[in-house]
Each structure stands twice: as structure tokens, then as C-alpha cells.
Amino acid sequence: MSKPAIGFCGLGAMGFGMATHLVKQGYEVTGFDVWQPSLDKFKAAGGIPSTSLFESAKDKTFYIVMVATAQQAQTAIFGDGTGKDEGILKGLPQGVTLLLCSTVPSEYAKSVEKELKDVGRDDVFFIDAPVSGGAIRAADGTLSIMAGASSAAIDKGKWLLDELSAPTKLFVVAGGVGAGSNMKMVHQVLAAIQILSVSEAFGFAAKLGLEGTEVREKVIKSEAWSWMFENRSVRTLTEDYFPGASAVTIIVKDTGIITSMARLLNFPSYLVSAAEQVYFAAVDKGYGANDDAGIVRLWTSEPVNSVKSTLSPEEKETKLDFVVSLLTGIHLVAAVESIAFAKHVGLPLPQLYELAVEAAGGSTQFKGFGTKLISILENGTGEEEVRDHLGRLKAAVNEAQTLKCPLYLGGAALNLLVSANASLEGLLKLYTVR
């Protein structure tokens, strides 16, 4: 059987990788974007470029939307209201399968499903399918995908979701449209905290007089490892910020989704809220279009790889341990915040664990403590103390205070550990008791 033609809207870093992967798999893909260089690049990669949303959708029985925001998705799907471009929906045939792969609020995904019915297009099989994994995995077809939809829509679109995701990284989330976006949201709790923790750790390390390459080597071999640290630290050390691979504005958009939903549902997003304020400061400094690995410039104007250590081996090891202690404390509380929020919005916790443990939000702390946290929430069992985390984080924060070095996440995580009396059960109560 011949492969179906596919329409695609949004050829940014992730979207371009996804669309060109489909081209490489032998699909005829018509791609829309507002930026001509992206269209030219897509054509060179074998795709069919389009400057019209309507034309990109015409006669396509499968269509993927991968734009930056809910506002962009709304205009792309339903048109801009001016009549200049009627949008994707006008061009789509009956019985089309429509995938929204953008990171959007779950309430927006639900509103798309409702509006499709309101305008007489309940024939559309709509799938709320945000993705995670970065541009390289997008191009390889090995993304993690969180899909929420009716069983009929999943049946229609599963083959396409399989084409874009790694063999074990397609997660069909119970609850229909909106559930996929909620799962992405709680995963981004981990990502948002851990992205900033990279810059906080390197900024602290610079104040400690540690060489950046030695910090990276120490962290990725320790219990302070996270996917974000291993990924972002390469760009931090090479100052690959302009524009880099992931702009600050992207994580600002994601934190906005998290904190807005948290306020709506009366959930205390302690660390994400702290991180969001630092991201705002980075945007205010003019870093919005730069890579988020460059937020370290809020701590030091000198490149972190320019630090030349004069420390003795013993001093160096002590100070490297401060950095490791900072990150392990932050990552532990990040795991609690993500899992507690997932419980709050009614998501299946084992599925979140399976998804996040080896995804972009993964960390050694999440892997080690995630199942214990889930057991406490679901079974009421477990009262494990984390006093070692408390003591080591306290020592790191004390050292930072001596150096007058700001630790936004470290300070917040320490206060939570103190309030919880250094127990996992106590930490969860800070998020769940109302």
C-alpha cells in the first residue's frame, strides 16, 4: 500500500526534525512555516514547502501541528479571522486525523476538541500529543510522546505516533484529550527546575573557583546526574548560546503553563515558581532568544570554562562536593514536586515514572526516589528520611552565603527539606495537605 500524504505546520527545530524524519521514511510531507529559510531548508531535505495553511492541509488525511504556543495553534487550525488564510481546518477532508504536538495547556487542548464539534467538524480524529526529546531525537524518530484522545482517534493515529516515537516511548494517557498535555506539564516540572539548576550549579562552581570541565566530569558520574545537566553543560562550557538549541523563551512558556495551572488548581509549585522568576530575569537581561544554558551569565560575566583552579586536591574535592550536594537536593525536591502535581491532576503515577525516568526530565534522584514517592502517595507506605540530603544541601547553602552567591533553587529546596523534617512523607505533605 502507498503511504499517505501528511501535512505539517511548524518547521522550527523540533518540527523540522519530525517532518524530515517522515520524509526519510518515504512519506510525502507538505510543510508550512512563516519563515522562508525554513521552507527552503525543508525543500532541500525532500519536503514540499507551502506558504499557505489551507494548501498545506488540502486533501491530507493526516496532519501534524507543531508550533510554539496555543495562540499559534489556534490561528493555524482555525484561521486568523481575517480571511487572508482560512487555516488548516478549511483544507482538511472528512475523517482526517489531526495531531497537536505542541506543548499547550490541557484546557486549550480540550477547547480545540470542543471547537471542532462546535463548527461542525466532529469528523476530525483529534489527538493531544505533546512530545519530548529534543531536535536530534525528533530527526531520528525516537521522541517520547504523550497522547491523549478518544480510543477511536488513537486507533486512527497510532501508526503515525509510532513513526515519530522510540519503540517504548509512546505513552497513551488515560483520560482523553487534555491528558497528554497534563502529562507533558508534569514532566516539564522536572525539566524547568533542572534546566535552571545547571546554570545555578555552574555559577556556584565559578564562585568556588572550580574549573567548568572538572565540574561536568564530577557531576555526570555522581548522584547529581540529570539528563539536562549532561545535555546543557556542553553548551554552557562552549558558550553555544547564540541562538543555541533551546531558547529561554521556550522554557518561559512551559513554566507559564505549569504555574498558571498550579494557581488555578491551588497547587504549590514551589521550585517551578522560583525558577520562573529567574527565567523572567534572564528575559529582562535580553537573553530570551539565547539558549537557556546561557542563563549562567546571571551569576558570572566570565565564561565558566575560563576559570583556572588554584585549589589543592583536597579543597577541590570538598568544593566539588558542594556542587554535587546542591544538585542532588534540588533534584530530589523536583521529583517530589512533579509526582505530587501528577497526583493532584489525576495522572497515572507509574506511567509518569516510566516516561520521565529516561526522558529529558530524568535524574538519578528521580530514578532512585520516584517509586518510593509513588508508594507513599498511592499506598500510604514509606517514611524514609533524607537527612543526608538536608545536611549536605545545608553545607552548600552555607558556603554560598559566605561567597554571596545566589542559590535560588538551592535555598528553596533547603527550606522545603527543613519544613518536611527531612522525610519523603513530610515533603509530600507540603504539596498535598490542604
PDB file of all heavy atoms in Angstrom, residues 362-396:
ATOM      1  N   GLY A 362      14.718  13.268  33.302  1.00  0.00           N
ATOM      2  CA  GLY A 362      15.278  12.221  34.141  1.00  0.00           C
ATOM      3  C   GLY A 362      16.465  12.684  34.966  1.00  0.00           C
ATOM      4  O   GLY A 362      17.223  13.566  34.579  1.00  0.00           O
ATOM      5  N   SER A 363      16.606  12.068  36.130  1.00  0.00           N
ATOM      6  CA  SER A 363      17.751  12.335  37.000  1.00  0.00           C
ATOM      7  C   SER A 363      17.973  11.111  37.873  1.00  0.00           C
ATOM      8  O   SER A 363      17.081  10.266  38.034  1.00  0.00           O
ATOM      9  CB  SER A 363      17.504  13.560  37.890  1.00  0.00           C
ATOM     10  OG  SER A 363      16.545  13.267  38.897  1.00  0.00           O
ATOM     11  N   THR A 364      19.164  11.010  38.437  1.00  0.00           N
ATOM     12  CA  THR A 364      19.448   9.909  39.362  1.00  0.00           C
ATOM     13  C   THR A 364      18.518   9.962  40.568  1.00  0.00           C
ATOM     14  O   THR A 364      18.059   8.927  41.055  1.00  0.00           O
ATOM     15  CB  THR A 364      20.908   9.970  39.822  1.00  0.00           C
ATOM     16  OG1 THR A 364      21.757   9.861  38.674  1.00  0.00           O
ATOM     17  CG2 THR A 364      21.239   8.847  40.793  1.00  0.00           C
ATOM     18  N   GLN A 365      18.209  11.152  41.036  1.00  0.00           N
ATOM     19  CA  GLN A 365      17.324  11.293  42.190  1.00  0.00           C
ATOM     20  C   GLN A 365      15.896  10.867  41.860  1.00  0.00           C
ATOM     21  O   GLN A 365      15.228  10.201  42.665  1.00  0.00           O
ATOM     22  CB  GLN A 365      17.350  12.732  42.703  1.00  0.00           C
ATOM     23  CG  GLN A 365      18.696  13.185  43.233  1.00  0.00           C
ATOM     24  CD  GLN A 365      19.194  12.304  44.360  1.00  0.00           C
ATOM     25  OE1 GLN A 365      18.539  12.155  45.386  1.00  0.00           O
ATOM     26  NE2 GLN A 365      20.364  11.698  44.170  1.00  0.00           N
ATOM     27  N   PHE A 366      15.404  11.236  40.677  1.00  0.00           N
ATOM     28  CA  PHE A 366      14.061  10.818  40.277  1.00  0.00           C
ATOM     29  C   PHE A 366      14.005   9.296  40.162  1.00  0.00           C
ATOM     30  O   PHE A 366      13.049   8.659  40.622  1.00  0.00           O
ATOM     31  CB  PHE A 366      13.671  11.463  38.947  1.00  0.00           C
ATOM     32  CG  PHE A 366      12.262  11.169  38.525  1.00  0.00           C
ATOM     33  CD1 PHE A 366      11.214  11.974  38.941  1.00  0.00           C
ATOM     34  CD2 PHE A 366      11.974  10.072  37.721  1.00  0.00           C
ATOM     35  CE1 PHE A 366       9.894  11.689  38.568  1.00  0.00           C
ATOM     36  CE2 PHE A 366      10.669   9.780  37.340  1.00  0.00           C
ATOM     37  CZ  PHE A 366       9.638  10.596  37.765  1.00  0.00           C
ATOM     38  N   LYS A 367      15.037   8.715  39.564  1.00  0.00           N
ATOM     39  CA  LYS A 367      15.060   7.263  39.406  1.00  0.00           C
ATOM     40  C   LYS A 367      15.088   6.560  40.755  1.00  0.00           C
ATOM     41  O   LYS A 367      14.391   5.567  40.977  1.00  0.00           O
ATOM     42  CB  LYS A 367      16.280   6.852  38.580  1.00  0.00           C
ATOM     43  CG  LYS A 367      16.346   5.369  38.279  1.00  0.00           C
ATOM     44  CD  LYS A 367      17.511   5.048  37.354  1.00  0.00           C
ATOM     45  CE  LYS A 367      17.520   3.570  36.983  1.00  0.00           C
ATOM     46  NZ  LYS A 367      18.638   3.254  36.050  1.00  0.00           N
ATOM     47  N   GLY A 368      15.879   7.089  41.689  1.00  0.00           N
ATOM     48  CA  GLY A 368      16.033   6.433  42.982  1.00  0.00           C
ATOM     49  C   GLY A 368      14.861   6.614  43.914  1.00  0.00           C
ATOM     50  O   GLY A 368      14.512   5.701  44.672  1.00  0.00           O
ATOM     51  N   PHE A 369      14.241   7.791  43.882  1.00  0.00           N
ATOM     52  CA  PHE A 369      13.185   8.103  44.851  1.00  0.00           C
ATOM     53  C   PHE A 369      11.770   8.059  44.274  1.00  0.00           C
ATOM     54  O   PHE A 369      10.804   8.069  45.024  1.00  0.00           O
ATOM     55  CB  PHE A 369      13.432   9.475  45.479  1.00  0.00           C
ATOM     56  CG  PHE A 369      14.543   9.489  46.479  1.00  0.00           C
ATOM     57  CD1 PHE A 369      15.786   9.992  46.145  1.00  0.00           C
ATOM     58  CD2 PHE A 369      14.366   8.979  47.753  1.00  0.00           C
ATOM     59  CE1 PHE A 369      16.830  10.000  47.061  1.00  0.00           C
ATOM     60  CE2 PHE A 369      15.401   8.978  48.686  1.00  0.00           C
ATOM     61  CZ  PHE A 369      16.635   9.487  48.325  1.00  0.00           C
ATOM     62  N   GLY A 370      11.659   8.033  42.940  1.00  0.00           N
ATOM     63  CA  GLY A 370      10.333   8.112  42.326  1.00  0.00           C
ATOM     64  C   GLY A 370       9.382   7.030  42.766  1.00  0.00           C
ATOM     65  O   GLY A 370       8.231   7.308  43.144  1.00  0.00           O
ATOM     66  N   THR A 371       9.832   5.783  42.754  1.00  0.00           N
ATOM     67  CA  THR A 371       8.936   4.686  43.135  1.00  0.00           C
ATOM     68  C   THR A 371       8.569   4.754  44.617  1.00  0.00           C
ATOM     69  O   THR A 371       7.456   4.387  45.008  1.00  0.00           O
ATOM     70  CB  THR A 371       9.578   3.327  42.828  1.00  0.00           C
ATOM     71  OG1 THR A 371      10.866   3.259  43.446  1.00  0.00           O
ATOM     72  CG2 THR A 371       9.727   3.133  41.321  1.00  0.00           C
ATOM     73  N   LYS A 372       9.490   5.226  45.450  1.00  0.00           N
ATOM     74  CA  LYS A 372       9.195   5.375  46.877  1.00  0.00           C
ATOM     75  C   LYS A 372       8.145   6.462  47.094  1.00  0.00           C
ATOM     76  O   LYS A 372       7.231   6.298  47.917  1.00  0.00           O
ATOM     77  CB  LYS A 372      10.471   5.710  47.635  1.00  0.00           C
ATOM     78  CG  LYS A 372      11.520   4.617  47.571  1.00  0.00           C
ATOM     79  CD  LYS A 372      12.837   5.051  48.198  1.00  0.00           C
ATOM     80  CE  LYS A 372      13.900   3.973  48.048  1.00  0.00           C
ATOM     81  NZ  LYS A 372      15.208   4.390  48.600  1.00  0.00           N
ATOM     82  N   LEU A 373       8.266   7.559  46.364  1.00  0.00           N
ATOM     83  CA  LEU A 373       7.276   8.638  46.473  1.00  0.00           C
ATOM     84  C   LEU A 373       5.902   8.169  46.012  1.00  0.00           C
ATOM     85  O   LEU A 373       4.878   8.476  46.637  1.00  0.00           O
ATOM     86  CB  LEU A 373       7.733   9.832  45.637  1.00  0.00           C
ATOM     87  CG  LEU A 373       8.973  10.575  46.152  1.00  0.00           C
ATOM     88  CD1 LEU A 373       9.567  11.460  45.061  1.00  0.00           C
ATOM     89  CD2 LEU A 373       8.625  11.405  47.383  1.00  0.00           C
ATOM     90  N   ILE A 374       5.876   7.405  44.926  1.00  0.00           N
ATOM     91  CA  ILE A 374       4.603   6.898  44.406  1.00  0.00           C
ATOM     92  C   ILE A 374       3.966   5.941  45.412  1.00  0.00           C
ATOM     93  O   ILE A 374       2.747   5.960  45.641  1.00  0.00           O
ATOM     94  CB  ILE A 374       4.821   6.218  43.041  1.00  0.00           C
ATOM     95  CG1 ILE A 374       5.169   7.282  41.985  1.00  0.00           C
ATOM     96  CG2 ILE A 374       3.575   5.442  42.608  1.00  0.00           C
ATOM     97  CD1 ILE A 374       5.664   6.700  40.669  1.00  0.00           C
ATOM     98  N   SER A 375       4.789   5.105  46.035  1.00  0.00           N
ATOM     99  CA  SER A 375       4.257   4.175  47.038  1.00  0.00           C
ATOM    100  C   SER A 375       3.625   4.925  48.205  1.00  0.00           C
ATOM    101  O   SER A 375       2.558   4.544  48.699  1.00  0.00           O
ATOM    102  CB  SER A 375       5.375   3.263  47.542  1.00  0.00           C
ATOM    103  OG  SER A 375       4.897   2.392  48.532  1.00  0.00           O
ATOM    104  N   ILE A 376       4.267   6.000  48.641  1.00  0.00           N
ATOM    105  CA  ILE A 376       3.703   6.791  49.741  1.00  0.00           C
ATOM    106  C   ILE A 376       2.364   7.385  49.340  1.00  0.00           C
ATOM    107  O   ILE A 376       1.380   7.337  50.094  1.00  0.00           O
ATOM    108  CB  ILE A 376       4.680   7.895  50.163  1.00  0.00           C
ATOM    109  CG1 ILE A 376       5.944   7.290  50.778  1.00  0.00           C
ATOM    110  CG2 ILE A 376       4.021   8.845  51.172  1.00  0.00           C
ATOM    111  CD1 ILE A 376       7.065   8.287  51.006  1.00  0.00           C
ATOM    112  N   LEU A 377       2.294   7.938  48.137  1.00  0.00           N
ATOM    113  CA  LEU A 377       1.058   8.586  47.690  1.00  0.00           C
ATOM    114  C   LEU A 377      -0.066   7.598  47.429  1.00  0.00           C
ATOM    115  O   LEU A 377      -1.229   7.873  47.726  1.00  0.00           O
ATOM    116  CB  LEU A 377       1.330   9.392  46.410  1.00  0.00           C
ATOM    117  CG  LEU A 377       2.040  10.728  46.592  1.00  0.00           C
ATOM    118  CD1 LEU A 377       2.414  11.321  45.247  1.00  0.00           C
ATOM    119  CD2 LEU A 377       1.163  11.711  47.365  1.00  0.00           C
ATOM    120  N   GLU A 378       0.270   6.444  46.865  1.00  0.00           N
ATOM    121  CA  GLU A 378      -0.777   5.509  46.458  1.00  0.00           C
ATOM    122  C   GLU A 378      -1.116   4.476  47.525  1.00  0.00           C
ATOM    123  O   GLU A 378      -2.244   3.991  47.585  1.00  0.00           O
ATOM    124  CB  GLU A 378      -0.366   4.802  45.163  1.00  0.00           C
ATOM    125  CG  GLU A 378      -0.253   5.758  43.967  1.00  0.00           C
ATOM    126  CD  GLU A 378      -0.240   5.040  42.649  1.00  0.00           C
ATOM    127  OE1 GLU A 378       0.238   3.891  42.589  1.00  0.00           O
ATOM    128  OE2 GLU A 378      -0.714   5.642  41.660  1.00  0.00           O
ATOM    129  N   ASN A 379      -0.138   4.144  48.359  1.00  0.00           N
ATOM    130  CA  ASN A 379      -0.363   3.074  49.338  1.00  0.00           C
ATOM    131  C   ASN A 379      -0.261   3.552  50.781  1.00  0.00           C
ATOM    132  O   ASN A 379      -0.553   2.785  51.699  1.00  0.00           O
ATOM    133  CB  ASN A 379       0.653   1.947  49.114  1.00  0.00           C
ATOM    134  CG  ASN A 379       0.634   1.431  47.693  1.00  0.00           C
ATOM    135  OD1 ASN A 379      -0.427   1.227  47.118  1.00  0.00           O
ATOM    136  ND2 ASN A 379       1.822   1.235  47.112  1.00  0.00           N
ATOM    137  N   GLY A 380       0.186   4.790  50.970  1.00  0.00           N
ATOM    138  CA  GLY A 380       0.354   5.294  52.319  1.00  0.00           C
ATOM    139  C   GLY A 380       1.488   4.632  53.071  1.00  0.00           C
ATOM    140  O   GLY A 380       1.530   4.667  54.299  1.00  0.00           O
ATOM    141  N   THR A 381       2.403   4.016  52.307  1.00  0.00           N
ATOM    142  CA  THR A 381       3.516   3.309  52.952  1.00  0.00           C
ATOM    143  C   THR A 381       4.831   4.018  52.662  1.00  0.00           C
ATOM    144  O   THR A 381       5.032   4.568  51.584  1.00  0.00           O
ATOM    145  CB  THR A 381       3.611   1.861  52.441  1.00  0.00           C
ATOM    146  OG1 THR A 381       3.803   1.878  51.021  1.00  0.00           O
ATOM    147  CG2 THR A 381       2.360   1.084  52.771  1.00  0.00           C
ATOM    148  N   GLY A 382       5.714   4.005  53.644  1.00  0.00           N
ATOM    149  CA  GLY A 382       7.032   4.590  53.453  1.00  0.00           C
ATOM    150  C   GLY A 382       7.200   5.861  54.264  1.00  0.00           C
ATOM    151  O   GLY A 382       6.354   6.746  54.224  1.00  0.00           O
ATOM    152  N   GLU A 383       8.279   5.923  54.995  1.00  0.00           N
ATOM    153  CA  GLU A 383       8.560   7.113  55.788  1.00  0.00           C
ATOM    154  C   GLU A 383      10.069   7.326  55.808  1.00  0.00           C
ATOM    155  O   GLU A 383      10.691   7.464  56.854  1.00  0.00           O
ATOM    156  CB  GLU A 383       8.012   6.948  57.210  1.00  0.00           C
ATOM    157  CG  GLU A 383       7.860   8.282  57.938  1.00  0.00           C
ATOM    158  CD  GLU A 383       7.074   8.142  59.233  1.00  0.00           C
ATOM    159  OE1 GLU A 383       6.179   7.279  59.307  1.00  0.00           O
ATOM    160  OE2 GLU A 383       7.362   8.901  60.159  1.00  0.00           O
ATOM    161  N   GLU A 384      10.637   7.313  54.623  1.00  0.00           N
ATOM    162  CA  GLU A 384      12.088   7.366  54.502  1.00  0.00           C
ATOM    163  C   GLU A 384      12.628   8.761  54.776  1.00  0.00           C
ATOM    164  O   GLU A 384      12.126   9.754  54.257  1.00  0.00           O
ATOM    165  CB  GLU A 384      12.507   6.904  53.103  1.00  0.00           C
ATOM    166  CG  GLU A 384      14.012   6.861  52.928  1.00  0.00           C
ATOM    167  CD  GLU A 384      14.409   6.063  51.705  1.00  0.00           C
ATOM    168  OE1 GLU A 384      13.602   5.233  51.237  1.00  0.00           O
ATOM    169  OE2 GLU A 384      15.525   6.279  51.227  1.00  0.00           O
ATOM    170  N   GLU A 385      13.674   8.805  55.585  1.00  0.00           N
ATOM    171  CA  GLU A 385      14.327  10.073  55.866  1.00  0.00           C
ATOM    172  C   GLU A 385      15.386  10.371  54.812  1.00  0.00           C
ATOM    173  O   GLU A 385      15.968   9.464  54.225  1.00  0.00           O
ATOM    174  CB  GLU A 385      14.974  10.038  57.253  1.00  0.00           C
ATOM    175  CG  GLU A 385      13.973  10.011  58.393  1.00  0.00           C
ATOM    176  CD  GLU A 385      14.641  10.216  59.735  1.00  0.00           C
ATOM    177  OE1 GLU A 385      15.888  10.197  59.800  1.00  0.00           O
ATOM    178  OE2 GLU A 385      13.911  10.406  60.723  1.00  0.00           O
ATOM    179  N   VAL A 386      15.606  11.654  54.584  1.00  0.00           N
ATOM    180  CA  VAL A 386      16.626  12.088  53.632  1.00  0.00           C
ATOM    181  C   VAL A 386      17.519  13.126  54.328  1.00  0.00           C
ATOM    182  O   VAL A 386      17.808  14.187  53.795  1.00  0.00           O
ATOM    183  CB  VAL A 386      15.994  12.653  52.340  1.00  0.00           C
ATOM    184  CG1 VAL A 386      15.509  11.529  51.437  1.00  0.00           C
ATOM    185  CG2 VAL A 386      14.853  13.613  52.646  1.00  0.00           C
ATOM    186  N   ARG A 387      17.930  12.774  55.533  1.00  0.00           N
ATOM    187  CA  ARG A 387      18.725  13.712  56.331  1.00  0.00           C
ATOM    188  C   ARG A 387      20.095  13.980  55.711  1.00  0.00           C
ATOM    189  O   ARG A 387      20.662  15.049  55.887  1.00  0.00           O
ATOM    190  CB  ARG A 387      18.870  13.212  57.763  1.00  0.00           C
ATOM    191  CG  ARG A 387      17.541  13.211  58.495  1.00  0.00           C
ATOM    192  CD  ARG A 387      17.660  13.163  60.003  1.00  0.00           C
ATOM    193  NE  ARG A 387      16.317  13.234  60.579  1.00  0.00           N
ATOM    194  CZ  ARG A 387      15.647  14.348  60.763  1.00  0.00           C
ATOM    195  NH1 ARG A 387      16.197  15.505  60.433  1.00  0.00           N
ATOM    196  NH2 ARG A 387      14.430  14.339  61.279  1.00  0.00           N
ATOM    197  N   ASP A 388      20.618  13.005  55.002  1.00  0.00           N
ATOM    198  CA  ASP A 388      21.899  13.227  54.348  1.00  0.00           C
ATOM    199  C   ASP A 388      21.768  14.334  53.296  1.00  0.00           C
ATOM    200  O   ASP A 388      22.635  15.204  53.184  1.00  0.00           O
ATOM    201  CB  ASP A 388      22.395  11.941  53.692  1.00  0.00           C
ATOM    202  CG  ASP A 388      23.742  12.132  53.018  1.00  0.00           C
ATOM    203  OD1 ASP A 388      24.701  12.499  53.710  1.00  0.00           O
ATOM    204  OD2 ASP A 388      23.822  11.934  51.791  1.00  0.00           O
ATOM    205  N   HIS A 389      20.655  14.324  52.557  1.00  0.00           N
ATOM    206  CA  HIS A 389      20.401  15.384  51.577  1.00  0.00           C
ATOM    207  C   HIS A 389      20.302  16.742  52.270  1.00  0.00           C
ATOM    208  O   HIS A 389      20.844  17.736  51.794  1.00  0.00           O
ATOM    209  CB  HIS A 389      19.107  15.100  50.807  1.00  0.00           C
ATOM    210  CG  HIS A 389      19.253  14.053  49.753  1.00  0.00           C
ATOM    211  ND1 HIS A 389      19.385  12.724  50.039  1.00  0.00           N
ATOM    212  CD2 HIS A 389      19.284  14.155  48.388  1.00  0.00           C
ATOM    213  CE1 HIS A 389      19.484  12.037  48.913  1.00  0.00           C
ATOM    214  NE2 HIS A 389      19.429  12.872  47.904  1.00  0.00           N
ATOM    215  N   LEU A 390      19.590  16.753  53.393  1.00  0.00           N
ATOM    216  CA  LEU A 390      19.423  18.006  54.124  1.00  0.00           C
ATOM    217  C   LEU A 390      20.770  18.538  54.618  1.00  0.00           C
ATOM    218  O   LEU A 390      21.096  19.718  54.413  1.00  0.00           O
ATOM    219  CB  LEU A 390      18.479  17.802  55.311  1.00  0.00           C
ATOM    220  CG  LEU A 390      18.350  18.971  56.300  1.00  0.00           C
ATOM    221  CD1 LEU A 390      17.850  20.222  55.604  1.00  0.00           C
ATOM    222  CD2 LEU A 390      17.444  18.586  57.461  1.00  0.00           C
ATOM    223  N   GLY A 391      21.547  17.673  55.232  1.00  0.00           N
ATOM    224  CA  GLY A 391      22.815  18.121  55.784  1.00  0.00           C
ATOM    225  C   GLY A 391      23.777  18.610  54.724  1.00  0.00           C
ATOM    226  O   GLY A 391      24.435  19.657  54.883  1.00  0.00           O
ATOM    227  N   ARG A 392      23.853  17.893  53.622  1.00  0.00           N
ATOM    228  CA  ARG A 392      24.783  18.284  52.556  1.00  0.00           C
ATOM    229  C   ARG A 392      24.315  19.550  51.848  1.00  0.00           C
ATOM    230  O   ARG A 392      25.133  20.409  51.499  1.00  0.00           O
ATOM    231  CB  ARG A 392      24.938  17.135  51.561  1.00  0.00           C
ATOM    232  CG  ARG A 392      25.649  15.915  52.154  1.00  0.00           C
ATOM    233  CD  ARG A 392      25.697  14.769  51.180  1.00  0.00           C
ATOM    234  NE  ARG A 392      26.479  15.134  50.001  1.00  0.00           N
ATOM    235  CZ  ARG A 392      26.500  14.402  48.892  1.00  0.00           C
ATOM    236  NH1 ARG A 392      25.786  13.295  48.806  1.00  0.00           N
ATOM    237  NH2 ARG A 392      27.239  14.788  47.863  1.00  0.00           N
ATOM    238  N   LEU A 393      23.003  19.678  51.635  1.00  0.00           N
ATOM    239  CA  LEU A 393      22.497  20.892  50.991  1.00  0.00           C
ATOM    240  C   LEU A 393      22.693  22.095  51.906  1.00  0.00           C
ATOM    241  O   LEU A 393      23.036  23.194  51.447  1.00  0.00           O
ATOM    242  CB  LEU A 393      21.022  20.714  50.624  1.00  0.00           C
ATOM    243  CG  LEU A 393      20.357  21.897  49.905  1.00  0.00           C
ATOM    244  CD1 LEU A 393      21.111  22.272  48.628  1.00  0.00           C
ATOM    245  CD2 LEU A 393      18.898  21.568  49.584  1.00  0.00           C
ATOM    246  N   LYS A 394      22.498  21.897  53.190  1.00  0.00           N
ATOM    247  CA  LYS A 394      22.704  22.982  54.143  1.00  0.00           C
ATOM    248  C   LYS A 394      24.152  23.474  54.083  1.00  0.00           C
ATOM    249  O   LYS A 394      24.425  24.684  54.102  1.00  0.00           O
ATOM    250  CB  LYS A 394      22.347  22.521  55.549  1.00  0.00           C
ATOM    251  CG  LYS A 394      22.340  23.634  56.592  1.00  0.00           C
ATOM    252  CD  LYS A 394      21.984  23.084  57.975  1.00  0.00           C
ATOM    253  CE  LYS A 394      20.541  22.615  58.033  1.00  0.00           C
ATOM    254  NZ  LYS A 394      20.165  22.166  59.411  1.00  0.00           N
ATOM    255  N   ALA A 395      25.093  22.537  53.997  1.00  0.00           N
ATOM    256  CA  ALA A 395      26.509  22.915  53.921  1.00  0.00           C
ATOM    257  C   ALA A 395      26.797  23.708  52.646  1.00  0.00           C
ATOM    258  O   ALA A 395      27.549  24.697  52.665  1.00  0.00           O
ATOM    259  CB  ALA A 395      27.384  21.671  53.970  1.00  0.00           C
ATOM    260  N   ALA A 396      26.182  23.292  51.527  1.00  0.00           N
ATOM    261  CA  ALA A 396      26.390  24.004  50.265  1.00  0.00           C
ATOM    262  C   ALA A 396      25.814  25.412  50.327  1.00  0.00           C
ATOM    263  O   ALA A 396      26.451  26.384  49.878  1.00  0.00           O
ATOM    264  CB  ALA A 396      25.752  23.220  49.125  1.00  0.00           C
TER     265      ALA A 396
END
